[in-house]
Amino acid sequence: NKITDEDLLFAELDQLFLGEITEDEYWQLVVKKNSWNIPIDELKYAARKNFKEIRGMRKIIEKT
């Protein structure tokens, strides 16, 4: 079985989304799994920097 980038980053993502682990715990798992030497705060910043708000979505989210 070949390990993909998706396996390295998203394997525990379902646990995060279900509230079973915190965001910091998620990033700690990612860092450990990949043997990275990077502060978690830098990963959190990089992840957030990749996302842009889609016009109109805020109103949809606020309605739910």
Side-chain angles (χ1 to χ4, degrees), residues 4-62:
T4 65
D5 289 342
E6 185 174 310
D7 295 329
L8 295 175
L9 294 174
F10 302 117
E12 289 81 13
L13 199 56
D14 58 337
Q15 291 177 302
L16 174 64
F17 288 154
L18 292 171
E20 296 170 358
I21 59 174
T22 66
E23 181 184 7
D24 284 350
E25 290 170 323
Y26 169 75
W27 287 119
Q28 288 170 354
L29 290 167
V30 170
V31 165
K32 183 178 179 180
K33 186 182 278 188
N34 293 286
S35 301
W36 291 344
N37 184 22
I38 184 170
I40 291 170
D41 288 340
E42 285 185 35
L43 283 173
K44 289 165 67 172
Y45 173 78
R48 284 172 174 75
K49 188 176 169 184
N50 273 330
F51 292 95
K52 305 285 185 225
E53 185 171 332
I54 300 169
R55 190 180 315 160
M57 288 302 296
R58 186 174 297 268
K59 286 182 181 181
I60 293 170
I61 292 169
E62 289 173 350

